[in-house]
Amino acid sequence: MAAFIGILSFLGIIIGAILSIRALFTKQSKKRPLLITGISFIIAVGAVSLSTSSPKLEIDKQAIETNTSGVATITGKTNDNSQLTVDGEKIQTKDGNFTYKVTLKNDQTKKLTFVASVGDADKAETVEVKPSKAFVAFLNDEKQDQEAIESAETALTLAESKPTRKNYDEAATLITSLTKEQADLTERLAIVKDNVPIYEAVELAETKQTKENLDSATALVAKATLNKADLSKRLATVQHKITEKETTEKQIAAARAAVEKAEQEPSDEHYNEAIAKINEIPNGNEEFTNRANKIKQTLTAQKEEAKKLAEAQKNAEQEAAAQQAQATGEMVLVTATGSKYHNRKCGNGTYTPATLEEAQARGLTPCSKCY
């Protein structure tokens, strides 16, 4: 309406100007033409004021769906002199027309508020942008693909930290099943594959604990590109265990030889040497300990037997000496309270002479020191 009034007022100004020029040349009254021009000018000013004070906003569609990629295009019209914004963002217009693209990030409907402003006057329109079925399907596919990638990434990380054949196979299965090739995951998987034999060699060395397996694993670990420091540390532990094993085997061999010698030639020296060798074995050796105990029993029995023989021999010698002294009327020394008779002063006390016969008659026995 304001535009139509503006056009009419513009035509009025032109007509008034033409009539004024004509009146000038014909020397007629200029009052009427000037009146027409003045009224038209006032109407034009009013039309301009009317058009600039009322913002206009027309949205082609109040609800719109996205395409497969989640993009929707909103179109509409506004005043030439209106400032158009959507949620605070300024939008460029051309001859009052505008186009605005919005991209959804998920499957939720998004509401956008467009505002046309002229001075302090505003006019707002709200548009709903809905995700299309194709876009929702696309999002679901993307979600599944992302979940598959995350599962593959998790399995690959485990395989990198522990590159066993089982972990490699699980990671490879997940990576090869992805709908889109992931170059980074494929490259990392290839590195894991190269390190699987190295990891297996280290595990074999830990299980067998032989120098041959250790040397083989050490040569492979030198080429490792995953967990090299950790693998080297594990091999150092294997080396330590092999050294301990060799030392223990030597200690067992030495203990066995010492026990066998003590069994063949039982003596305190051989027994003590066998015990010392057994004690050098970590955690001891039950078999050798039992055999050493039997050697100890044999030595104890031998000592008891030797003691009995020595006592019997001593008693026999004392008896023979007493018989000889009795036969020759030998004199001995006795004490008032002692239970022994002596052939010399033996220790403290008061000794008096007596015949051997008298001493034996008192129940005295020969002194072991004197006889």
Side-chain angles (χ1 to χ4, degrees), residues 54-74:
S54 302
K56 182 179 73 173
L57 180 59
E58 296 177 1
I59 303 295
D60 292 340
K61 292 183 180 180
Q62 298 298 321
I64 188 170
E65 285 191 352
T66 67
N67 60 14
T68 306
S69 301
V71 178
T73 302
I74 300 170

Side-chain angles (χ1 to χ4, degrees), residues 234-250:
R234 289 169 61 181
L235 289 183
T237 300
V238 174
Q239 176 64 71
H240 179 68
K241 290 182 178 180
I242 290 176
T243 301
E244 284 185 338
K245 183 179 179 181
E246 292 175 347
T247 301
T248 300
E249 289 175 349
K250 291 179 181 179

Side-chain angles (χ1 to χ4, degrees), residues 126-142:
T126 300
V127 179
E128 280 192 349
V129 181
K130 300 178 180 180
S132 64
K133 292 183 178 179
F135 179 57
V136 172
F138 169 78
L139 289 177
N140 290 333
D141 290 342
E142 285 289 307

Side-chain angles (χ1 to χ4, degrees), residues 101-278:
K101 287 187 177 182
V102 59
T103 302
L104 296 185
K105 301 298 182 182
N106 51 46
D107 59 357
Q108 300 299 311
T109 297
K110 185 175 183 179
K111 290 185 177 182
L112 300 175
T113 301
F114 291 81
V115 178
S117 302
V118 177
D120 295 332
D122 295 331
K123 183 174 183 181
E125 293 287 347
T126 300
V127 179
E128 280 192 349
V129 181
K130 300 178 180 180
S132 64
K133 292 183 178 179
F135 179 57
V136 172
F138 169 78
L139 289 177
N140 290 333
D141 290 342
E142 285 289 307
K143 183 179 179 181
Q144 292 177 358
D145 288 345
Q146 185 59 37
E147 290 175 350
I149 291 174
E150 291 175 357
S151 297
E153 172 72 28
T154 299
L156 181 58
T157 300
L158 176 60
E160 289 174 328
S161 64
K162 191 176 182 181
T164 62
R165 179 65 58 181
K166 176 177 177 293
N167 290 342
Y168 167 78
D169 289 342
E170 290 179 354
T173 299
L174 292 174
I175 291 173
T176 54
S177 65
L178 296 176
T179 56
K180 297 179 182 177
E181 183 180 358
Q182 301 293 323
D184 176 60
L185 299 184
T186 303
E187 291 175 3
R188 289 166 59 188
L189 182 65
I191 294 174
V192 172
K193 182 178 181 180
D194 292 339
N195 282 266
V196 168
I198 301 174
Y199 195 86
E200 291 176 341
V202 172
E203 286 189 325
L204 182 62
E206 289 174 327
T207 301
K208 298 296 184 179
Q209 293 187 8
T210 64
K211 190 175 185 305
E212 180 182 0
N213 293 127
L214 175 63
D215 291 343
S216 177
T218 300
L220 289 175
V221 168
K223 304 175 183 178
T225 54
L226 291 176
N227 312 318
K228 188 172 185 177
D230 179 63
L231 294 176
S232 297
K233 185 177 180 181
R234 289 169 61 181
L235 289 183
T237 300
V238 174
Q239 176 64 71
H240 179 68
K241 290 182 178 180
I242 290 176
T243 301
E244 284 185 338
K245 183 179 179 181
E246 292 175 347
T247 301
T248 300
E249 289 175 349
K250 291 179 181 179
Q251 291 169 335
I252 291 174
R256 179 181 289 106
V259 170
E260 290 176 351
K261 185 174 182 180
E263 288 173 335
Q264 296 170 2
E265 303 176 20
S267 68
D268 288 340
E269 180 182 358
H270 293 163
Y271 167 77
N272 291 333
E273 184 177 354
I275 290 297
K277 295 297 183 183
I278 293 172

